[in-house]
Amino acid sequence: MKNTFIPVLAGAVVAMTAVSAANAATLDDVKKKGFVQCGVSTGLAGFSNPDDKGEWTGLDVDYCRAVASAIFDDPKAVKFSPLSAKERFTALQSGEVDILSRNTTWTMSRDTQMGLAFVGVTYYDGQGFMIPKSLGVSSAKEIDGASVCVQTGTTTELNLSDYFKANGMTFNPVVLEKLEEVNAAYDAGRCDVYTTDASGLYAIRLTMSKPDDHMVLPEIISKEPLGPAVRQGDDQWFALNKWVYFALLNAEEMGITQANVEEMKTSENPNIKRLLGVDGDFGASVGLSADWAVKVIKGVGNYGEIFARNVGTETPLGIERGQNALWTEGGLQYAPPVR
Amino acid sequence: MTTQSISYVSTAEIPSSPPPGNAKGFPAWARQNLFATPLNSLTTILIGLFLAWALPPILNFLIFDAVWFGDSREACIVEGAGACWAFVNAKFGQFIYGRYPLDERWRVDLVFILFVIGLVPIAIPKVPYKGWNALYLLLVFPILAFILLCGGFFGLEAVETSLWGGLLVTLVVAVTGIAASLPLGVLLALGRQSKMPVIKMASVIFIEFWRGVPLITVLFMSSVMLPLFLPPGTNFDKLLRALVGVALFSSAYMAEVIRGGLQAIPKGQYEGAAAMGLGYWPSMYLIILPQALKIVIPGIVNSFIALFKDTSLVLIIGIFDLLGIVQLNFTDPNWASPVTPATGYIFTAAVFWVFCFGMSRYSLFVERRLDTGHKR
């Protein structure tokens, strides 16, 4: 993630081959083969992980299922390729996968040199803090002088010292090499605070001997916008993916759920009518049918439902919506209208 | 007994008296084996203390405090819980078959059974028809296994290799690697000793190249770089790429092990074979290789065991072998608990140990059986 050599090398190779792979009409290929090939992680709790039956579940996984629903009206028309962090970009470039939905941070270099086109931000992640509840602290502003467990050699360490400096606080770093060591040190009480990306904190919390004794503070001190990406150069496929994501957000905003989507078709609200294809044919412009959004919502539900199902407070992970709430509820999730 | 013999010679053997109390049973055994010398006694006591200190917590964790049944992490996050076997229980199917479709798993079972049917008789020296057996194992079985596992023939549903995983992948990679590396290794070893410069050169370059690169690099190149060089759209199977990589890699190692055996054969054997009027291949097949291979059995099995364990490296190219799928399932939030990783690793270690230990013991058996008194 923080190594710069491999991305540069991969970028160079990508640049050589990008021309050949880029011009293909991905949607036609996908329709021809009958499924979406989706690159996911090799296991990240709540985002892409196998369930008891071995089926992939998670937020990243459900995005791919949403795209499959839009095209085939079948959330199961997806094949998943688990990709390591190093493989992921070349897999997308070489055409091995059609979508890369693998908790990938949207950065400028990836968006430009690496030949990726980011579809949107399905999860606003960022560095956060976890503390034992017994500390009686409710804000990161109150942890002046705390000892902080952090993994070495990552930007996490840098962000941490920046944050404390910027807020005129001091801290006592407990720097460890391996993730497991950091977990163990925190669990054993060698430090008061654990810091890493917030989604990671929730997953780590589950492995503590008493998960309920720990809480993640609301402050997020860095930007790690995670989202799906497609290949550059295929605008139709890019637009399709973007609008599937927007449809998920718009559906939540308008209160359309997996359960009530059929009733909603009879709604008088012109926004809902346009989204669900009752009025106008917006699907055609991205190569889909008029009721594409109905298929998406029927297949996987709206964004809020996906979030709640995979990482929300009802799941063992118990992640609050926070920045990932809709803009109407104080979050950052905002979608342009269907018009 | 009508006539009382006057002979003082005993007619029956006097039953032998039992040995004195301190020369039999556990005390004697203990004195001989555990407390023979002061140093010996000290070691015994120290090891005994260590076991007394270490064993109870281990047993508590593995058995007495372990959670055997449960549907989710709730069962395993209780205070003082030991190993979370419920996790292994819930995920057992995945650990064995990966994501192979539930309805098609009988095919994998059948392949396992067919493999055992071929392997057991060939491993027991007394069973006849070794030739047919080998033919089955080397020719019929691979074809059957391919048809059954991949599907797409005879109305069997096609199952792509990205769905394979767990012990299935570990065994497929290991068995293919083992089966391919031995013949390839023999050929390469002979090639390296050849007097024909081109063959010799080719063998040396092949061996040194594959021995010079780490297996991780080979796998990584095969999965990341190769697709970029191929024309877009040609996407040949990831598992196949890994299999080819592993087979070539291990054959280079095997070649060097076998070359060691070839060099240990005295020159007289080669000359003797030539004096018998045997050509190159008959002399190799009848005289040199049987001796050379026998000498290097430990080395060959060593390579097999290393290869078996190296199969875990396919994880880095997104193929989930046993270890990979166990680790992958640590990320399932429904099973995340402090003891889940430990349990998963213990399970994996146990499975690997059974296979590796089995190979190791069998090789000892073969070595003893083929021992014709030429111990050096």
Side-chain angles (χ1 to χ4, degrees):
Chain A
M1 180 164 55
K2 315 307 191 216
N3 189 330
T4 53
F5 174 69
I6 287 171
V8 169
L9 177 74
V13 179
V14 162
M16 286 189 284
T17 54
V19 189
S20 54
N23 297 327
T26 316
L27 179 61
D28 295 342
D29 292 348
V30 166
K31 277 182 175 164
K32 214 187 304 164
K33 62 185 175 185
F35 59 88
V36 178
Q37 190 79 45
C38 171
V40 294
S41 79
T42 51
L44 181 67
F47 289 85
S48 41
N49 62 263
D51 66 6
D52 280 358
K53 292 194 198 72
E55 294 293 329
W56 285 96
T57 60
L59 196 83
D60 285 348
V61 167
D62 277 350
Y63 173 74
C64 286
R65 294 199 191 282
V67 175
S69 307
I71 302 170
F72 302 108
D73 195 13
D74 177 10
K76 289 207 156 57
V78 197
K79 290 193 179 171
F80 294 98
S81 304
L83 299 169
S84 68
K86 293 185 180 76
E87 288 180 297
R88 53 183 165 178
F89 301 127
T90 42
L92 184 63
Q93 276 310 325
S94 66
E96 216 176 300
V97 298
D98 304 313
I99 309 170
L100 181 70
S101 184
R102 193 204 173 280
N103 56 292
T104 304
T105 306
W106 186 346
T107 65
M108 181 166 175
S109 60
R110 285 174 182 173
D111 211 3
T112 53
Q113 302 152 12
M114 302 289 293
L116 272 65
F118 279 89
V119 166
V121 181
T122 48
Y123 186 88
Y124 286 95
D125 205 353
Q127 191 175 339
F129 299 101
M130 178 162 66
I131 52 149
K133 279 181 183 160
S134 57
L135 227 55
V137 171
S138 59
S139 157
K141 298 270 182 340
E142 300 166 31
I143 52 176
D144 193 9
S147 58
V148 183
C149 275
V150 60
Q151 203 177 353
T152 183
T154 63
T155 44
T156 316
E157 209 179 340
L158 202 71
N159 292 337
L160 174 68
S161 68
D162 285 355
Y163 179 77
F164 274 81
K165 227 175 271 169
N167 286 289
M169 304 192 294
T170 57
F171 73 105
N172 213 345
V174 179
V175 182
L176 293 156
E177 185 77 37
K178 288 223 159 61
L179 184 70
E180 290 76 21
E181 287 174 342
V182 191
N183 292 352
Y186 175 76
D187 205 17
R190 275 179 59 196
C191 45
D192 311 319
V193 182
Y194 189 145
T195 183
T196 185
D197 287 351
S199 61
L201 286 177
Y202 285 101
I204 290 161
R205 189 174 69 147
L206 289 180
T207 66
M208 297 289 150
S209 39
K210 285 182 190 153
D212 293 336
D213 291 359
H214 303 273
M215 62 180 278
V216 177
L217 294 174
E219 280 86 356
I220 298 292
I221 64 166
S222 74
K223 290 197 279 192
E224 300 280 348
L226 308 180
V230 295
R231 270 186 296 280
Q232 276 177 12
D234 185 347
D235 292 346
Q236 184 194 38
W237 182 243
F238 178 51
L240 185 156
N241 275 277
K242 232 175 359 186
W243 280 95
V244 166
Y245 162 61
F246 291 149
L248 294 172
L249 291 183
N250 280 325
E252 188 188 3
E253 194 181 325
M254 299 170 193
I256 309 171
T257 63
Q258 206 166 6
N260 73 8
V261 60
E262 285 296 336
E263 304 157 32
M264 280 294 191
K265 276 183 179 169
T266 57
S267 161
E268 286 308 309
N269 184 333
N271 283 321
I272 294 178
K273 281 168 107 172
R274 276 193 296 268
L275 177 65
L276 299 185
V278 182
D279 214 355
D281 184 5
F282 292 93
S285 51
V286 284
L288 296 173
S289 61
D291 62 344
W292 62 285
V294 178
K295 293 176 182 169
V296 169
I297 299 157
K298 246 194 222 160
V300 295
N302 64 38
Y303 179 79
E305 288 176 287
I306 293 174
F307 193 97
R309 182 166 66 226
N310 293 304
V311 296
T313 43
E314 295 301 306
T315 67
L317 282 168
I319 303 181
E320 304 279 344
R321 283 295 285 271
Q323 291 178 322
N324 292 295
L326 287 181
W327 63 288
T328 47
E329 282 150 34
L332 296 171
Q333 292 290 3
Y334 179 97
V338 177
R339 250 195 329 254
Chain B
M1 282 255 177
T2 46
T3 50
Q4 178 75 39
S5 168
I6 54 159
S7 165
Y8 55 85
V9 178
S10 167
T11 54
E13 201 176 316
I14 299 168
S16 51
S17 312
N22 59 359
K24 65 165 189 179
F26 178 72
W29 177 86
R31 199 167 52 215
Q32 236 172 34
N33 293 293
L34 299 177
F35 302 98
T37 65
L39 183 67
N40 214 332
S41 313
L42 187 68
T43 325
T44 303
I45 291 168
L46 283 180
I47 291 179
L49 285 175
F50 174 77
L51 287 180
W53 170 74
L55 264 188
I58 291 177
L59 288 180
N60 277 342
F61 183 83
L62 289 181
I63 299 167
F64 301 117
D65 292 342
V67 180
W68 298 88
F69 304 102
D71 301 323
S72 73
R73 62 191 291 272
E74 305 297 330
C76 295
I77 51 171
V78 290
E79 184 83 40
C84 183
W85 297 119
F87 164 71
V88 175
N89 200 7
K91 305 278 190 177
F92 193 74
Q94 275 191 70
F95 293 173
I96 303 297
Y97 308 102
R99 295 174 49 238
Y100 212 87
L102 285 172
D103 298 338
E104 307 292 326
R105 285 184 178 171
W106 61 270
R107 283 155 53 178
V108 183
D109 294 334
L110 190 58
V111 169
F112 283 146
I113 292 170
L114 287 174
F115 182 59
V116 171
I117 287 177
L119 193 67
V120 168
I122 211 165
I124 299 172
K126 279 191 201 119
V127 180
Y129 305 118
K130 283 281 180 282
W132 290 108
N133 202 333
L135 188 72
Y136 165 76
L137 206 56
L138 293 177
L139 200 70
V140 181
F141 170 73
I143 296 172
L144 281 178
F146 177 80
I147 292 173
L148 278 169
L149 290 178
C150 295
F153 311 93
F154 311 119
L156 288 173
E157 193 189 323
V159 179
E160 54 182 298
T161 55
S162 63
L163 296 177
W164 302 16
L167 190 62
L168 171 64
V169 158
T170 300
L171 288 178
V172 165
V173 176
V175 170
T176 315
I178 286 170
S181 69
L182 193 58
L184 273 177
V186 170
L187 288 180
L188 284 168
L190 292 176
R192 194 167 186 166
Q193 295 217 318
S194 168
K195 291 192 181 69
M196 289 182 270
V198 176
I199 291 183
K200 186 181 170 119
M201 199 51 140
S203 304
V204 169
I205 291 175
F206 182 93
I207 293 170
E208 294 306 333
F209 172 77
W210 288 102
R211 283 208 310 161
V213 289
L215 183 53
I216 291 215
T217 321
V218 174
L219 293 173
F220 199 62
M221 287 294 279
S222 77
S223 95
V224 181
M225 302 309 267
L226 203 61
L228 291 174
F229 303 139
L230 294 170
T234 46
N235 182 17
F236 79 94
D237 197 85
K238 210 169 176 181
L239 183 65
L240 183 66
R241 282 183 255 162
L243 282 179
V244 172
V246 167
L248 295 180
F249 183 84
S250 51
S251 60
Y253 277 84
M254 193 54 71
E256 287 300 278
V257 170
I258 291 166
R259 190 166 68 100
L262 291 176
Q263 284 178 342
I265 305 297
K267 211 178 167 204
Q269 296 288 328
Y270 290 89
E271 291 168 352
M276 299 280 288
L278 293 174
Y280 178 77
W281 289 109
S283 72
M284 284 300 147
Y285 177 68
L286 293 171
I287 297 184
I288 306 300
L289 280 177
Q291 300 184 65
L293 290 180
K294 191 189 81 188
I295 297 172
V296 291
I297 286 174
I300 291 175
V301 175
N302 205 18
S303 297
F304 285 172
I305 291 177
L307 171 63
F308 190 84
K309 291 194 277 196
D310 276 351
T311 55
S312 293
L313 293 176
V314 296
L315 176 62
I316 63 146
I317 57 170
I319 298 175
F320 294 98
D321 75 315
L322 179 63
L323 179 63
I325 203 114
V326 170
Q327 278 181 325
L328 176 65
N329 276 293
F330 294 164
T331 62
D332 184 350
N334 281 326
W335 282 103
S337 79
V339 287
T340 304
T343 311
Y345 285 129
I346 290 169
F347 172 77
T348 316
V351 173
F352 270 87
W353 185 82
V354 165
F355 279 94
C356 294
F357 186 71
M359 281 196 271
S360 158
R361 297 311 292 186
Y362 185 70
S363 96
L364 280 180
F365 165 74
V366 172
E367 239 179 283
R368 271 200 305 274
R369 197 182 123 72
L370 297 181
D371 180 23
T372 44
H374 291 125
K375 275 243 155 70
R376 280 152 219 271

